[in-house]
Amino acid sequence: MMTTFSRRGLHGHVVDVLGRRIMRGELVSGDIIDQDALLTEFQVSRTVIREAIKVLTTKGLVDARPRLGTYVTERERWQLLDGDVMTWRSEGVPDALLVLELSEVRQVLEPAAARLAAVRRSDEECAEIQAAMSALAATFASTEAESHVKADLVFHRAVLAASGNELLARFEVVLEPALHARNELAFENETTTHFLDSHQAVVTAIVAQDADGAHAAMQLLMNQSARDSETIVSTDAAGAALVKERKQAL
């Protein structure tokens, strides 16, 4: 998992703790944040607390009003694409909505990235994708989910980077925490042969500079990932209801 800026230093620790509380619903929209209580809890200076509040404000999580003080904002104002916010949402018990929305975003972006990669990839980028595929396959010799997750992230980052589009390449910073959450949950139920064959089809098409084939192979991979995500989220009643609601909205 990436180390985010918010976790550095004293004020970073305060930001991290408060950010997690907001994402977990321990602090909800409208709740007042008592800065005097934070001074006692964290045993830091008022300057540290002010700096932490400033960071949370830039992420849209808190704001201040005269005579009201600092409060947690409504969800519509949260910077959901911020790396820290994504990390907080994906840690611990994953946010079901995040897992489903990630699948939808990947279904839109990654097939297009694979198409571009097939056309634009350099020999070096092609070699990196092949190496990432080999490393991913090797992780199935272990039952350790962490190594599998890391290897899968490296593979998808390599494809995004080979697209030749800087915005797509940078998007992996946002995807990493959420992919980590999804893959850790899915690893135990992964069918090795199907999983590797699906990834290898993407590699083969990119190496052959087959743009249509790369798009189609990645689309199949993303569709399977979406089905896996729905299965994961549907393990409880609330998650199953969310899946049903989103399907009915299509």
Side-chain angles (χ1 to χ4, degrees):
M1 185 71 69
M2 69 177 71
T3 300
T4 57
F5 172 79
S6 74
R7 300 186 185 201
R8 301 174 188 169
L10 289 174
H11 84 279
H13 173 64
V14 178
V15 170
D16 194 46
V17 172
L18 294 180
R20 290 177 189 223
R21 289 176 183 173
I22 293 171
M23 289 303 112
R24 293 174 181 172
E26 296 170 19
L27 291 171
V28 300
S29 297
D31 280 356
I32 302 300
I33 296 179
D34 186 341
Q35 295 193 30
D36 289 332
L38 295 180
L39 290 173
T40 301
E41 177 182 354
F42 292 102
Q43 293 294 296
V44 294
S45 69
R46 192 169 295 277
T47 298
V48 168
I49 297 299
R50 282 200 297 265
E51 287 299 314
I53 295 299
K54 186 183 299 183
V55 172
L56 291 171
T57 300
T58 65
K59 298 176 185 298
L61 302 183
V62 303
D63 204 349
R65 289 177 184 164
R67 296 188 296 277
L68 178 62
T70 302
Y71 65 97
V72 179
T73 59
E74 58 275 18
R75 187 184 180 91
E76 289 75 16
R77 294 179 59 183
W78 297 354
Q79 300 295 320
L80 295 178
L81 292 180
D82 177 86
D84 289 327
V85 174
M86 292 286 287
T87 297
W88 294 326
R89 289 183 71 190
S90 63
E91 287 182 332
V93 178
D95 182 326
L97 181 60
L98 174 64
V99 172
L100 294 178
E101 289 186 337
L102 170 66
S103 293
E104 293 173 351
V105 171
R106 295 184 73 195
Q107 285 178 299
V108 172
L109 292 183
E110 294 207 50
R115 177 187 292 278
L116 291 173
V119 175
R120 297 174 174 173
R121 95 291 188 280
S122 65
D123 290 342
E124 292 77 10
E125 289 168 333
C126 193
E128 288 177 5
I129 293 172
Q130 290 174 305
M133 181 67 227
S134 296
L136 179 59
T139 65
F140 279 96
S142 168
T143 57
E144 182 187 350
E146 183 66 24
S147 62
H148 171 77
V149 169
K150 288 181 178 178
D152 196 22
L153 289 170
V154 170
F155 175 83
H156 287 281
R157 281 202 300 262
V159 174
L160 290 172
S163 72
N165 184 300
E166 287 187 339
L167 294 180
L168 283 174
R170 301 290 175 84
F171 196 69
E172 58 90 9
V173 176
V174 176
L175 287 179
E176 181 173 350
L179 279 170
H180 195 280
R182 181 264 164 195
N183 285 0
E184 278 199 330
L185 289 172
F187 176 68
E188 291 184 0
N189 299 318
E190 209 76 82
T191 302
T192 305
T193 301
H194 182 269
F195 180 86
L196 293 179
D197 286 349
S198 298
H199 282 70
Q200 184 59 55
V202 175
V203 177
T204 300
I206 291 175
V207 170
Q209 296 185 301
D210 178 0
D212 289 341
H215 185 280
M218 185 64 86
Q219 189 69 69
L220 287 174
L221 182 56
M222 291 300 98
N223 290 345
Q224 181 59 55
S225 177
R227 289 192 290 271
D228 290 343
S229 295
E230 289 176 1
T231 299
I232 293 164
V233 170
S234 297
T235 54
D236 58 50
L242 181 58
V243 170
K244 182 179 180 180
E245 176 186 333
R246 295 186 76 79
K247 283 186 174 182
Q248 289 176 337
L250 295 177

